Amino acid sequence: MLKILTADDHAVVRAGVRQILSESKDMRGVVEAETGAEAVRQAALGHFDVILLDVSLPDKNGLEVLKMLRQQNPDQAVLMLSMHPEEQYAIRALKAGARGYLTKESAPAELVSAVRKVSKGGRYISLAMAEKLAFYLDQDQQLMPHQLLSDREYQVMLMIAGGKTVSEIADELGLSVKTISTNRVRAMQKMAMRHNAEFTYYAVKEGLVS
């Protein structure tokens, strides 16, 4: 019987996940966490076969939480379950130690299958993502500009590319405008860019945003 922890700041999503998993006889309970800090605390208190983790949490970036969970327990199975397309975060999540990446648009049966697979030590990614990952691994070691960014810088870059202002990003992530501005400047310096429009052009060209 599998014990699951789901970390997501949306109560409706957590309820939906709990309902889907509770219909499977081999899932014995789903514990919920609304923030990254709560997820780390819950994971420290008890063993979970799988932790379902969103990328966007109100207090911390999901990738930061993933690293904290892995430091706490290197063998912890974490499956990223996010609204963000695979192209945006899947490779980063897998490199950070996630066992798989699934979008919230996936069918309920796919979620159950993914949970079972990663609980047994396997990895779960879509066929399309497997092809992208193979292409990524076949490339030489020269990193693309966006791969030079920290997780937070990358998140800010994507949100700016998606049309959000610094103030809007600060509100959404619960961070100060100064922090977001600093990450924006660092991202621009690392990517040798000067304007927000360059973020947008690059992200669209590389398929990071639609």
Side-chain angles (χ1 to χ4, degrees):
M1 300 293 285
L2 302 179
K3 186 177 180 182
I4 314 298
L5 170 64
T6 179
D8 194 292
D9 61 331
H10 293 97
V12 172
V13 173
R14 297 197 305 272
V17 169
R18 185 175 64 249
Q19 177 63 33
I20 291 170
L21 297 182
S22 65
E23 293 176 358
S24 300
K25 294 181 180 179
D26 55 343
M27 311 283 175
R28 70 179 174 92
V30 179
V31 176
E32 300 179 20
E34 189 174 354
T35 66
E38 187 178 353
V40 173
R41 183 179 62 82
Q42 291 278 13
L45 291 175
H47 169 76
F48 291 94
D49 296 288
V50 179
I51 295 178
L52 297 174
L53 182 62
D54 191 9
V55 169
S56 299
L57 293 168
D59 58 337
K60 294 181 181 294
N61 181 289
L63 297 180
E64 296 173 3
V65 178
L66 169 61
K67 293 173 184 176
M68 294 171 68
L69 291 169
R70 294 279 296 171
Q71 288 174 353
Q72 190 168 274
N73 178 6
D75 297 324
Q76 177 64 65
V78 179
L79 175 64
M80 304 302 290
L81 181 63
S82 177
M83 61 176 284
H84 298 287
E86 291 176 321
E87 291 83 355
Q88 291 186 2
Y89 285 103
I91 289 179
R92 281 181 175 257
L94 293 172
K95 287 179 66 178
R99 293 269 182 88
Y101 191 100
L102 203 62
T103 65
K104 292 178 182 178
E105 296 177 350
S106 303
E110 188 175 5
L111 172 60
V112 172
S113 177
V115 168
R116 287 173 177 157
K117 187 170 184 179
V118 301
S119 72
K120 297 176 182 178
R123 295 185 180 275
Y124 193 94
I125 54 175
S126 69
L127 178 59
M129 192 63 236
E131 293 175 350
K132 290 184 176 69
L133 186 58
F135 175 76
Y136 171 80
L137 294 175
D138 283 342
Q139 290 182 313
D140 57 33
Q141 297 302 307
Q142 184 176 357
L143 297 177
M144 296 182 66
H146 69 276
Q147 293 170 338
L148 300 172
L149 306 181
S150 70
D151 292 334
R152 181 66 74 192
E153 291 164 356
Y154 181 69
Q155 183 181 33
V156 169
M157 184 274 286
L158 286 181
M159 296 177 81
I160 289 175
K164 294 184 182 295
T165 65
V166 168
S167 296
E168 289 171 339
I169 297 172
D171 287 341
E172 186 170 332
L173 299 182
L175 298 171
S176 69
V177 170
K178 181 179 180 181
T179 296
I180 300 303
S181 296
T182 298
N183 280 279
R184 171 184 171 275
V185 170
R186 288 176 179 168
M188 284 191 165
Q189 290 173 340
K190 291 180 180 180
M191 297 179 70
M193 294 180 178
R194 296 175 297 172
H195 310 293
N196 289 353
E198 292 181 283
F199 274 160
T200 302
Y201 175 78
Y202 178 90
V204 171
K205 180 170 69 73
E206 297 300 330
L208 302 176
V209 298
S210 58

